[in-house]
Amino acid sequence: MKQRKTFFVWALVALGVLLVDYALFWGVWGGWVNYDTEVQWNQVQSGVYTQWHPFVHTFLMMKVPSLVWNDYRVTVLWQIVCFAMAFGYLGFVLQKIGMRTKWIVLGMTLTLLHPQTLFFMMTPLKDSAFAVAVLVSVAVLALVVSQGAAVLRELWVWCPLALGLALTSLFRHNGIFFSVPALALILVLFSLLVLRGYWISLHCPDRFS
């Protein structure tokens, strides 16, 4: 229960900070759009999509929120919500691993308030969404490395991992250079778990009786 509370606390903190940043960014500066986001937003408006900019990102991060309200700024809000959930999951995992609370607070605070975080979460670049997917994937990988592949049996572990690795590959064409080695690491750890269980069954059969 305490770890679930950690998830919601960090998710709400991230959501609050980024919403303030959002209000300042759009209210004072007026927002920022680069060539990629302009092209993708035009695809959403025209309904004609290409794969030059990954379709999955255009659809999930732009088209879906536009169905609620067809305004470019809503796509930024949707990205903020996604990041807040990923950020909350990271805090949850760090506590699950056993990291001291003071270091979690320090690391999470510096990450959240970093100018690059505050800036890139304000525009729906595929790089921003890719970073969110990587954040979730790395959090799970850290958990698996620290606690062993057996933890992959849990729904709250393998589901975010599968989603994170899939989206890293789909949000950027070169995302496979992250997802494939990450998947290989998971397979190695899982294989070691299976071999360990086989060794125990041969040498310590009483443990399975």
Side-chain angles (χ1 to χ4, degrees):
M1 181 62 69
K2 182 179 179 181
Q3 290 161 344
R4 290 182 181 179
K5 183 179 179 181
T6 300
F7 167 80
F8 288 109
V9 167
W10 280 113
L12 290 175
V13 168
L15 187 62
V17 170
L18 291 178
L19 284 178
V20 171
D21 184 41
Y22 175 86
L24 294 173
F25 195 91
W26 288 93
V28 177
W29 190 11
W32 182 71
V33 180
N34 75 343
Y35 175 75
D36 287 356
T37 53
E38 181 182 0
V39 170
Q40 289 177 276
W41 183 247
N42 287 335
Q43 290 179 17
V44 170
Q45 299 307 304
S46 66
V48 179
Y49 299 92
T50 69
Q51 191 57 23
W52 181 256
H53 300 291
F55 167 74
V56 173
H57 175 262
T58 306
F59 183 80
L60 290 180
M61 302 306 294
M62 290 189 170
K63 179 61 178 179
V64 170
S66 74
L67 296 175
V68 178
W69 183 22
N70 192 27
D71 190 298
Y72 178 81
R73 290 166 292 186
V74 177
T75 64
V76 180
L77 284 174
W78 172 234
Q79 181 170 267
I80 287 174
V81 170
C82 292
F83 175 81
M85 294 178 64
F87 199 72
Y89 185 77
L90 175 63
F92 165 79
V93 167
L94 291 177
Q95 188 174 60
K96 187 75 175 178
I97 290 174
M99 183 178 290
R100 292 185 179 181
T101 302
K102 64 178 181 180
W103 297 120
I104 296 177
V105 172
L106 178 61
M108 299 284 277
T109 301
L110 291 177
T111 300
L112 182 59
L113 298 181
H114 194 284
Q116 292 283 35
T117 302
L118 297 174
F119 177 76
F120 278 102
M121 286 303 112
M122 293 301 110
T123 184
L125 288 165
K126 57 181 178 289
D127 305 279
S128 303
F130 175 79
V132 174
V134 170
L135 176 64
V136 173
S137 302
V138 170
V140 179
L141 289 173
L143 183 66
V144 173
V145 170
S146 66
Q147 299 195 357
V151 75
L152 287 169
R153 298 167 182 166
E154 301 290 339
L155 177 65
W156 59 271
V157 177
W158 69 259
C159 189
L161 177 63
L163 182 63
L165 291 181
L167 291 180
T168 55
S169 301
L170 295 172
F171 281 167
R172 285 193 61 89
H173 298 309
N174 58 0
I176 59 172
F177 293 109
F178 170 83
S179 58
V180 170
L183 184 59
L185 174 62
I186 292 295
L187 291 176
V188 168
L189 293 175
F190 192 77
S191 298
L192 291 175
L193 176 67
V194 172
L195 290 174
R196 179 174 177 271
Y198 179 70
W199 187 91
I200 291 176
S201 67
L202 288 178
H203 297 85
C204 307
D206 55 302
R207 294 185 59 175
F208 294 89
S209 60

